[in-house]
Amino acid sequence: TAECSIQIKVNPEGLVAIVHKPSYSHPTFGTNSPPEVQSHVHPEKTISYFNVHWNNGGTEEAGKVNFPNVPENGCDGGEVMGEHCLCDTDLVETIVFNYVPKKDEALAKLKVGFFDLDIFDVGTFVGVNVTNDKDVVSVFKKNDAGEDYTTETVFRVDNGGSYFFLKNVQSTVRACDGRTFSFRNPPSFFDPVSPHLYSAYQEMKAYVDHVDSNDNTPRFVCTTLLKQFGFSNPSPDHVLNCIMAYKEGMYTWRDSKREQSVSFGRGKRGDLRAIMGAIHLHSDSLSPTTDLDPGAGGVREPQDLLMNLMRSLEFQTTQHHKRIDGLLSTWTLEALGQSAYGTSNQFGYFQHDYSPPGPHTEAALVAPESVLFSMGYVTNTQNGFYALIVHGLSECDGGFGFPWKRGIVSQCGDTDGSTDHTAGLLSFVPKGDASSGSNVVDQLVQLLTGSGRLHEFNMELIERAYEEKYLSDGSEEALKLAQMLLISTPEARTRNIAALTGEKRLPNILSQVHDDEEYSAVVVVFLDGGLDCLNMIVPDPLDCPNLYEEYKEERGESNHLTPEELIKIDASTSQQPCASFGVNMHLAKVADMYTKGEAAFIAGIGYLPKFVNKTNYQKEPLAQVFAHPTMRDEAARVNAKDGTGVLGRIADMLSKTHSTSKIAVDKDNLFLLGDSAFGQTVNVMPSGSLNKFFRINSTESENIESLIEQVNSESSETSSLHAELWSQSLIDAKYNTKRYIEMLSDIGDSPNIPKSILGRRLNTVSKMIKVRSERGVTKDFFVVEDPSYDHHFEGKTKLHPKFDALDAALNGFRQDMKAIGTWASMTVIVVTEFGRSISPNAGGGADHAWVGH
């Protein structure tokens, strides 16, 4: 019941936390103490900082901050609290317009929203200037208001079929002395004393509406949807067509021949009917001339192709199928590289701007899904498709199903003449003449290819193979063969037409410069997500107490490392401000490597092509320094102007005089991208088992594999780039799988390296190093990724298990390399895209920052 004034606590970056300052008139009942302020509004305990729009005021001078700051303006009359400023506040509200503003003017200057006037009783508001013209602002005032334009006046602005209601008020919070610093009063949906759940819904709706109204949203949504519908590199006109439909909520398609038109949408911004019409009825979608563009179309996602295969070919579960854990096993994610709800982060399965090396990169074209065209994924995906067609849905021969057993003997699918061991079968039966290859294959093409078409060479080849199989083994076996061949074609894996020549396609075999130098290697371990390196190594509490106490204060009680959680290391020979540091106890083996002179910590690294500071970095022409995709790229490129990766450039130069190799594990990586002129391809090895291509046990396996190669024959220069990429990837995968299986036949998994995600990937690196002589390589470059370091919440709790796994994997790899005598001739670099803020967020984690260790 006491009066309470509102203060703000301003951190060194200008973020603000609300602080309550009650006027205590009496103690809490039964005590001699005043009432306690809640922690989220307590001047010393709050960590609930948020961004505000500070006005420039009188601080236009370059390099000067426009908010209360301890070193620059002594908090401008506020209270100094360490590096923070505690300021009194004063709210000032003034009218913005005393006339009918233009639409753009109203949207630019009015920042306080209002409720839809329809929820008020009739007569509460009356019109001052009311119009249905969407480009003109309507004005309303309260019925009892004397003047037309006051702070209670409401403006209605059309927003593509819906309305914004905005108050005619500028609400400004003046801080500290109230003369120099002020900011726009931010909206609040929650009562700080008694918050309600519906307030959260209202805030989320307001946020979604705010995002929807952003000028960039239509373009982002349209390009994303266009990619989902097969346009990886949509034309500017196609994108514009979609953007206009998004904004207007209406799309009209006109048939010029029949002089007819059809409209889609109801005139409301973001109407999906209008957007779909704009995507599918644009000339790029309808005109056959689009097929003539080698860069048109895109790559199909393997999960999309699996669903297409099961639905189009009428997958039906067997009557005995009663499993409650679903149809598809966990192997599906490992084999395809994706599965329903299996993405490892919020950014999806693919990097949206991934451009595979070669013609795509040279033409500045992207093909995000092609990151799965690596040896392991191509082999496992195709084997899964073949197994589904031949055996039904089971685990047999690399299938995507669960294991099925009868008694103690495990059988594969229907290989024993029954369907007791499969969860379901493809039941599609072609219509019409089953003996006609033309009839059957034409139906399959319509069902399974990304474009509904097939190059004539492949059409004739599959028709001929079908008819020969039909005569020898009947329609059922012929249908399976046709399906296997069709699912192997570039037209099934991409969304454009391949222009094939019929000539045999050869695998890419990298010619090496043979040298007699000793072996050496570089291994990059990329910690994806932004490692919180401020909880990896910290000032030692005993030898560097001042810096440790500062670290402890900034990190907060729940997010700092205690002295008991640290392993002391000597840094007396460095130029650091502390003679010793503490390493997180969950990195005990790494700390031991440091003590033995086998490891080093490099402090304060990050993307910085020119000098900036916290006051001007947003104005300088830098990358998006807090965004995962751009900072991953910058970490890999290291300021390259040509888009290549730092390891790729080194390998290019060494390839002139040395036998070099570039290997990524599980997926391609920008670190290894070099200049295509050097011809240094990147081998992508799977971290799981290396499986034979085409595992179906058949007397005709060799013939079927030959047919699979033939449907991926050489192509002409006018062929789809995506189709060319697929065909070459399949031939390379088939060749390299056989080569590496033979090479690694006597190399087992290391007993030293754990089976974690990173452990499995480093185990693959270890195997490849063990057969370096067989590979004929003296200079190796490897990149492996360890995911899930983006700890916005419960940072310390989630980081420690990651460090346990990282520590064990690095130590196991070290033991392996020592055993074969290569540890001293290799460099292992552990790096991340950026660091995290020293100040914790409200979720107990830390947000994106800049510098890292």
Side-chain angles (χ1 to χ4, degrees):
T1 59
E3 292 184 1
C4 180
S5 60
I6 296 179
Q7 296 179 310
I8 57 169
K9 188 175 181 181
V10 186
N11 77 0
E13 287 74 42
L15 298 181
V16 165
I18 293 176
V19 171
H20 284 184
K21 183 181 180 182
S23 301
Y24 300 118
S25 57
H26 56 272
T28 303
F29 180 76
T31 72
N32 294 321
S33 303
E36 180 65 25
V37 175
Q38 292 294 313
S39 60
H40 66 284
V41 289
H42 192 284
E44 296 177 352
K45 299 178 181 179
T46 181
I47 58 172
S48 301
Y49 291 91
F50 54 91
N51 186 49
V52 297
H53 295 272
W54 289 97
N55 300 316
N56 284 330
T59 60
E60 291 86 354
E61 184 179 344
K64 294 292 185 180
V65 298
N66 59 343
F67 53 84
N69 181 269
V70 176
E72 291 207 11
N73 49 59
C75 293
D76 192 44
E79 179 183 346
V80 175
M81 296 184 66
E83 292 185 340
H84 297 71
C85 295
L86 185 65
C87 298
D88 292 330
T89 61
D90 179 32
L91 180 64
V92 178
E93 294 190 341
T94 57
I95 68 168
V96 180
F97 298 110
N98 56 9
Y99 56 90
V100 181
K102 294 181 179 179
K103 181 177 178 178
D104 291 344
E105 189 180 11
L107 291 173
K109 294 185 177 181
L110 297 176
K111 302 299 181 182
V112 180
F114 198 67
F115 301 100
D116 189 327
L117 298 183
D118 287 342
I119 71 172
F120 295 94
D121 292 336
V122 176
T124 303
F125 285 87
V126 296
V128 175
N129 180 71
V130 182
T131 177
N132 291 323
D133 188 336
K134 64 180 182 180
D135 295 321
V136 179
V137 176
S138 294
V139 184
F140 300 86
K141 69 173 182 177
K142 279 193 171 181
N143 192 22
D144 56 357
E147 300 180 10
D148 289 344
Y149 296 94
T150 67
T151 57
E152 299 298 320
T153 299
V154 177
F155 295 89
R156 187 183 71 188
V157 182
D158 185 276
N159 183 44
S162 60
Y163 291 116
F164 280 150
F165 292 89
L166 302 167
K167 287 187 71 175
N168 186 32
V169 64
Q170 178 176 305
S171 184
T172 303
V173 177
R174 298 187 299 193
C176 294
D177 75 348
R179 294 188 300 271
T180 306
F181 302 113
S182 63
F183 58 86
R184 194 172 79 212
N185 194 11
S188 176
F189 290 80
F190 285 91
D191 183 335
V193 178
S194 180
H196 293 283
L197 181 61
Y198 63 76
S199 298
Y201 293 132
Q202 290 173 336
E203 183 166 1
M204 285 304 302
K205 183 180 184 304
Y207 173 73
V208 171
D209 289 343
H210 174 72
V211 172
D212 176 61
S213 66
N214 189 283
D215 290 340
N216 291 321
T217 299
R219 180 181 177 278
F220 173 80
V221 171
C222 284
T223 53
T224 302
L225 287 176
L226 280 163
K227 288 180 180 180
Q228 290 297 316
F229 285 103
F231 298 92
S232 290
N233 302 275
S235 68
D237 189 66
H238 204 170
V239 176
L240 179 61
N241 205 46
C242 178
I243 289 174
M244 297 308 297
Y246 188 107
K247 290 181 176 180
E248 297 173 2
M250 182 71 69
Y251 176 75
T252 300
W253 178 73
R254 293 177 176 82
D255 186 339
S256 57
K257 293 182 179 179
R258 299 181 181 179
E259 297 183 353
Q260 295 177 340
S261 63
V262 182
S263 294
F264 301 87
R266 297 180 179 177
K268 184 176 182 180
R269 180 184 173 90
D271 192 306
L272 276 176
R273 286 161 293 199
I275 295 171
M276 290 299 101
I279 289 175
H280 294 297
L281 296 176
H282 186 268
S283 59
D284 285 0
S285 298
L286 301 177
S287 174
T289 58
T290 304
D291 296 337
L292 301 177
D293 180 1
V299 173
R300 297 181 71 184
E301 298 182 22
Q303 176 75 7
D304 167 52
L305 192 54
L306 175 60
M307 294 298 103
N308 178 196
L309 189 66
M310 296 175 72
R311 288 173 177 167
S312 298
L313 299 187
E314 301 174 16
F315 174 83
Q316 290 187 357
T317 57
T318 48
Q319 291 184 352
H320 65 268
H321 175 72
K322 296 181 180 178
R323 298 186 71 108
I324 62 173
D325 49 1
L327 290 169
L328 300 175
S329 70
T330 54
W331 164 246
T332 308
L333 173 60
E334 188 172 341
L336 299 181
Q338 61 172 174
S339 68
Y341 313 113
T343 178
S344 61
N345 58 51
Q346 69 270 36
F347 300 106
Y349 296 99
F350 316 108
Q351 189 172 330
H352 71 93
D353 59 351
Y354 174 73
S355 180
H360 282 78
T361 301
E362 293 167 6
L365 297 175
V366 302
E369 302 84 358
S370 70
V371 73
L372 298 180
F373 281 3
S374 61
M375 179 179 65
Y377 286 126
V378 168
T379 300
N380 292 332
T381 297
Q382 291 303 116
N383 282 342
F385 290 156
Y386 303 147
L388 175 62
I389 292 168
V390 174
H391 302 306
L393 189 59
S394 73
E395 69 167 350
C396 178
D397 292 333
F400 302 129
F402 287 94
W404 289 80
K405 296 182 179 180
R406 181 171 60 227
I408 61 173
V409 180
S410 176
Q411 296 289 346
C412 288
D414 61 357
T415 56
D416 61 348
S418 73
T419 59
D420 291 345
H421 311 290
T422 178
L425 299 167
L426 302 177
S427 64
F428 171 75
V429 177
K431 295 179 174 59
D433 185 3
S435 66
S436 169
S438 174
N439 172 57
V440 174
V441 174
D442 184 64
Q443 293 179 52
L444 292 176
V445 168
Q446 296 301 319
L447 293 172
L448 296 180
T449 62
S451 60
R453 290 153 291 177
L454 193 67
H455 188 267
E456 59 184 12
F457 175 82
N458 278 349
M459 183 72 82
E460 293 173 2
L461 187 150
I462 298 175
E463 288 175 1
R464 186 169 58 252
Y466 173 88
E467 292 177 350
E468 291 175 357
K469 191 70 172 175
Y470 179 87
L471 292 174
S472 63
D473 295 309
S475 60
E476 185 175 341
E477 293 303 311
L479 182 62
K480 289 179 179 179
L481 175 60
Q483 291 169 350
M484 285 192 290
L485 294 180
L486 195 53
I487 208 69
S488 305
T489 63
E491 289 92 342
R493 296 306 303 263
T494 65
R495 298 184 186 275
N496 205 345
I497 300 298
L500 304 178
T501 65
E503 297 179 10
K504 182 178 177 63
R505 182 183 292 272
L506 300 176
N508 282 320
I509 302 175
L510 184 63
S511 59
Q512 296 283 17
V513 176
H514 296 285
D515 62 87
D516 298 323
E517 286 202 13
E518 292 186 1
Y519 177 80
S520 58
V522 175
V523 181
V524 169
V525 177
F526 187 78
L527 307 183
D528 186 37
L531 168 68
D532 186 3
C533 51
L534 296 173
N535 269 1
M536 175 179 68
I537 182 169
V538 303
D540 181 69
L542 296 178
D543 291 352
C544 210
N546 292 338
L547 277 180
Y548 176 79
E549 287 302 319
E550 183 179 348
Y551 153 80
K552 177 180 176 181
E553 179 182 356
E554 291 294 335
R555 285 253 101 173
E557 287 297 322
S558 63
N559 212 28
H560 77 279
L561 295 177
T562 65
E564 295 75 23
E565 295 174 309
L566 297 173
I567 299 172
K568 187 174 181 178
I569 61 171
D570 180 25
S572 58
T573 59
S574 72
Q575 297 181 355
Q576 292 293 324
C578 299
S580 59
F581 284 82
V583 175
N584 193 309
M585 63 183 293
H586 295 270
L587 292 173
K589 298 298 183 182
V590 172
D592 182 59
M593 290 183 219
Y594 175 89
T595 300
K596 293 177 178 179
E598 298 178 27
F601 292 95
I602 303 176
I605 65 170
Y607 172 70
L608 192 64
K610 62 186 298 186
F611 178 78
V612 294
N613 56 37
K614 65 186 178 182
T615 66
N616 66 354
Y617 75 89
Q618 292 178 317
K619 301 176 182 178
E620 296 295 334
L622 301 175
Q624 293 176 297
V625 292
F626 303 122
H628 289 286
T630 54
M631 295 311 291
R632 283 195 206 103
D633 289 354
E634 295 302 339
R637 291 189 177 116
V638 189
N639 297 344
K641 302 298 183 182
D642 59 0
T644 57
V646 60
L647 295 187
R649 297 195 297 275
I650 297 173
D652 284 345
M653 293 298 104
L654 288 177
S655 69
K656 296 178 180 180
T657 54
H658 298 81
S659 177
T660 61
S661 173
K662 300 185 293 187
I663 295 176
V665 181
D666 282 340
K667 61 180 180 179
D668 201 356
N669 196 286
L670 181 58
F671 273 96
L672 297 169
L673 177 62
D675 188 335
S676 59
F678 285 85
Q680 293 282 307
T681 59
V682 178
N683 282 321
V684 182
M685 294 291 297
S687 61
S689 57
L690 196 58
N691 296 309
K692 175 182 179 293
F693 186 91
F694 198 80
R695 296 169 62 183
I696 306 297
N697 186 17
S698 168
T699 57
E700 297 187 20
S701 294
E702 187 173 333
N703 178 55
I704 296 173
E705 289 189 58
S706 175
L707 290 171
I708 291 173
E709 291 181 6
Q710 290 179 55
V711 297
N712 288 282
S713 67
E714 285 286 358
S715 56
S716 68
E717 293 181 352
T718 60
S719 182
S720 162
L721 294 180
H722 307 302
E724 168 67 18
L725 179 64
W726 162 253
S727 292
Q728 192 62 54
S729 298
L730 182 139
I731 298 300
D732 288 346
K734 188 173 181 297
Y735 168 80
N736 287 321
T737 298
K738 181 180 179 180
R739 174 174 170 245
Y740 286 127
I741 286 177
E742 295 173 352
M743 198 179 292
L744 298 170
S745 59
D746 297 328
I747 307 295
D749 289 339
S750 168
N752 300 317
I753 305 176
K755 303 298 184 183
S756 61
I757 294 176
L758 178 60
R760 290 171 57 192
R761 292 173 175 174
L762 284 177
N763 184 58
T764 299
V765 174
S766 175
K767 288 181 179 180
M768 298 307 292
I769 293 176
K770 289 173 183 176
V771 294
R772 60 195 181 281
S773 298
E774 292 86 339
R775 293 190 294 121
V777 174
T778 59
K779 307 299 175 192
D780 256 331
F781 296 87
F782 299 93
V783 178
V784 298
E785 289 190 10
D786 192 19
S788 306
Y789 283 86
D790 193 16
H791 296 149
H792 288 278
F793 304 96
E794 302 176 16
K796 182 177 172 181
T797 302
K798 292 183 176 180
L799 184 61
H800 286 175
K802 294 295 297 182
F803 274 168
D804 288 334
L806 174 64
D807 196 53
L810 290 175
N811 184 60
F813 180 71
R814 167 180 173 251
Q815 289 178 294
D816 253 28
M817 295 301 98
K818 278 181 172 289
I820 62 174
T822 58
W823 180 245
S825 62
M826 63 193 311
T827 301
V828 179
I829 304 169
V830 181
V831 67
T832 189
E833 65 259 47
F834 49 56
R836 307 195 81 83
S837 61
I838 187 169
S839 301
N841 58 30
D847 296 323
H848 300 180
W850 201 333
V851 70
H853 304 326

